[in-house]
């Protein structure tokens, strides 16, 4: 009897190994999902939701690690070893050929409500709204322990004002858990949480999936700016720094030309301005007058149109004239 049971366990491990190896061969994308506080019924619902282009596999981390190592050595695909460090805690693997972002969004749809159990760390703030609780006056001791203001209204306990019962990150106490249970409040909701994404040897955080084209362009521009700054600081030519280097070089040439007899058209113009600064005063009013004239033209046109309208409006007669 013991021999048969032992052989059955070995057969199950071998079947699991074959299944995992099959997925590793067929799929190049894997989402690592944290499954704390998630039951078997919930997992079954997620499996049905992603069925088609994706497969979810649960199992012991030690067994999965061993299977991945053996498969990598057998096939020579060392890239899949990047999955091993990600197998920490209560996690599952979602193998997919679909768009990773769409799979994550589909998985996030499946959440179930859960009561506040004693000792559980609250993932969110828990608030009890004001109103009638439906509890009889003998239950007021729960509210008194938690310093919740109440009053008796029509033979039932009524909470007078909103109560911030539990703060995010705090542990749920026995009194809070008992009160929420009596009120029928299930404040928490749980589901699979994608913690890491594996894509053909690369591992990254799921937050990367939320980046837009504008975010990528902004980060790229920031990177180019940093490269240009570093290149200029160490006088090392790069494509990013080239325009700045040319401009700085031209400034140096212009400075030398202004201080010497070396001449070229632009330098001559600068020399003229430096010799006679009043030319700036001549040029500036001319530009200002040109701008003012352009701005005044539309106003004159509007005034003419307004005058024309008043002239033709009933020969200047008001609607209220007799």
């Amino acid at each position: 009897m013991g021999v048969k049971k032992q052989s059955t366990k070995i057969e199950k491990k071998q079947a699991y190994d074959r299944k995992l190896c099959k997925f590793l061969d067929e799929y190049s994308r894997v989402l690592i999902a944290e499954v704390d506080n998630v039951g078997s019924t919930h997992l079954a619902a997620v499996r049905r939701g992603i069925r088609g282009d994706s497969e979810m596999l649960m199992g012991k981390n030690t067994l999965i690690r061993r299977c991945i190592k053996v498969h990598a050595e057998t096939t020579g695909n060392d890239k899949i070893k990047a999955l091993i460090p990600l197998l920490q805690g209560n996690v599952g693997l979602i193998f997919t050929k679909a768009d990773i972002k769409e799979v994550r969004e589909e998985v996030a749809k499946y959440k179930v409500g859960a009561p506040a159990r004693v000792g559980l760390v609250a993932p969110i703030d828990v608030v009890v709204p004001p109103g009638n609780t439906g509890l009889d006056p003998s239950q007021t001791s729960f509210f008194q322990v938690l310093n919740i203001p109440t009053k008796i209204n029509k033979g039932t306990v009524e909470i007078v004002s909103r109560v911030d019962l539990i703060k995010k990150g705090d542990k749920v106490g026995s009194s809070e858990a008992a009160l929420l249970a009596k009120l029928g409040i299930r404040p928490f909701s749980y589901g699979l949480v994608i913690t890491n994404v594996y894509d053909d040897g690369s591992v990254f955080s799921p937050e990367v999936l939320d980046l837009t084209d504008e975010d990528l362009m902004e980060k790229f521009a920031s990177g180019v700016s940093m490269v240009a700054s570093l290149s200029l600081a160490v006088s090392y030519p790069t494509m990013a720094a080239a325009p700045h280097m040319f401009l700085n070089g031209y400034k140096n040439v212009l400075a030398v030309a202004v201080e010497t007899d070396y001449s070229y058209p632009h330098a001559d113009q600068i020399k003229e301005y430096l010799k006679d600064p009043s030319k700036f005063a001549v040029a500036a009013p001319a530009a200002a007058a040109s701008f003012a004239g352009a701005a005044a033209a539309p106003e004159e046109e509007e005034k003419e149109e307004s005058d024309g309208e008043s002239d033709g409006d009933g020969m200047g007669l008001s609607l209220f004239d007799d």
Side-chain angles (χ1 to χ4, degrees), residues 99-101 104-105 204-220:
D99 182 86
I100 298 175
K101 186 175 181 180
R104 187 186 67 158
E105 291 173 351
F204 54 88
S205 170
E207 281 76 15
V208 173
L209 302 175
D210 297 324
L211 292 175
T212 62
D213 291 341
E214 290 75 15
D215 294 329
L216 294 175
M217 288 300 297
E218 183 180 345
K219 290 182 180 295
F220 178 76

Side-chain angles (χ1 to χ4, degrees), residues 46-61:
V46 176
R47 280 196 176 93
R48 288 194 297 270
I50 63 174
R51 187 173 295 162
D53 294 323
S54 306
E55 295 282 353
M56 184 165 63
L57 188 65
M58 306 297 297
K60 292 183 177 180
N61 292 342

Side-chain angles (χ1 to χ4, degrees), residues 140-149 163 165 175-177 179-180:
T140 54
S141 57
F142 286 103
F143 300 96
Q144 292 171 354
V145 169
L146 297 169
N147 296 319
I148 298 175
V163 179
L165 189 63
S175 299
E176 290 90 344
L179 176 61
L180 291 170

Side-chain angles (χ1 to χ4, degrees), residues 270-277:
I270 299 298
K271 288 179 181 180
E272 287 296 321
Y273 281 134
L274 293 175
K275 287 179 181 178
D276 187 5

Side-chain angles (χ1 to χ4, degrees), residues 1-311:
M1 192 73 178
V3 175
K4 185 177 180 181
K5 189 174 182 179
Q6 182 69 20
S7 62
T8 302
K9 288 181 67 175
I10 294 174
E11 288 171 1
K12 285 184 178 180
K13 286 185 179 181
Q14 290 174 343
Y16 184 91
D17 182 74
R18 288 193 296 269
K19 188 175 185 179
L20 176 57
C21 291
K22 178 175 176 289
F23 287 163
L24 291 172
D25 288 333
E26 291 182 4
Y27 297 90
S28 60
R29 296 173 175 176
V30 185
L31 284 76
I32 291 80
E34 190 177 83
V35 294
D36 289 339
N37 304 300
V38 177
S40 57
T41 304
H42 189 176
L43 290 175
V46 176
R47 280 196 176 93
R48 288 194 297 270
I50 63 174
R51 187 173 295 162
D53 294 323
S54 306
E55 295 282 353
M56 184 165 63
L57 188 65
M58 306 297 297
K60 292 183 177 180
N61 292 342
T62 52
L63 178 60
I64 298 175
R65 291 193 195 100
R66 186 187 64 79
C67 292
I68 291 175
K69 287 179 182 178
V70 173
H71 188 71
E73 293 169 0
T74 304
T75 61
N77 182 14
D78 289 334
K79 291 189 293 185
I80 61 174
K81 288 184 177 180
L83 286 168
I84 295 175
L86 308 179
L87 300 171
Q88 301 290 334
N90 192 15
V91 297
L93 303 178
I94 299 176
F95 298 84
T96 185
K97 294 179 182 177
D99 182 86
I100 298 175
K101 186 175 181 180
E102 292 178 359
V103 176
R104 187 186 67 158
E105 291 173 351
E106 181 65 28
V107 169
K109 292 179 183 178
Y110 296 88
K111 289 186 178 293
V112 294
R117 296 195 300 272
V118 178
L120 187 70
V121 176
I124 59 171
D125 292 338
V126 179
V127 176
V128 177
N132 198 305
T133 64
L135 300 175
D136 61 80
S138 64
Q139 306 292 328
T140 54
S141 57
F142 286 103
F143 300 96
Q144 292 171 354
V145 169
L146 297 169
N147 296 319
I148 298 175
T150 60
K151 67 179 181 178
I152 306 301
N153 184 17
K154 296 180 180 180
T156 58
V157 178
E158 181 177 321
I159 297 176
V160 176
S161 59
R162 163 190 162 125
V163 179
D164 296 320
L165 189 63
I166 307 172
K167 293 290 185 182
K168 180 180 178 181
D170 291 346
K171 285 188 177 182
V172 179
S174 57
S175 299
E176 290 90 344
L179 176 61
L180 291 170
K182 284 184 176 294
L183 295 177
I185 297 176
R186 297 166 68 88
F188 306 141
S189 62
Y190 296 103
L192 276 70
V193 179
I194 305 302
T195 57
N196 288 284
V197 178
Y198 168 90
D199 189 357
D200 197 25
S202 300
V203 176
F204 54 88
S205 170
E207 281 76 15
V208 173
L209 302 175
D210 297 324
L211 292 175
T212 62
D213 291 341
E214 290 75 15
D215 294 329
L216 294 175
M217 288 300 297
E218 183 180 345
K219 290 182 180 295
F220 178 76
S222 176
V224 170
S225 177
M226 291 179 66
V227 170
S229 299
L230 181 60
S231 300
L232 290 171
V234 299
S235 299
Y236 183 83
T238 61
M239 289 295 292
H244 303 282
M245 288 181 168
F246 285 130
L247 183 59
N248 290 338
Y250 180 72
K251 287 180 180 178
N252 292 334
V253 171
L254 183 59
V256 171
V258 168
E259 294 297 328
T260 64
D261 293 333
Y262 184 77
S263 177
Y264 63 92
H266 189 214
D268 292 341
Q269 185 181 5
I270 299 298
K271 288 179 181 180
E272 287 296 321
Y273 281 134
L274 293 175
K275 287 179 181 178
D276 187 5
S278 62
K279 290 185 178 181
F280 284 107
V282 174
S290 176
F291 176 77
E299 294 181 3
E300 292 178 0
E301 291 178 4
E302 290 179 6
K303 184 176 180 182
E304 290 175 1
E305 290 178 2
S306 176
D307 292 343
E309 289 176 1
S310 63
D311 290 343

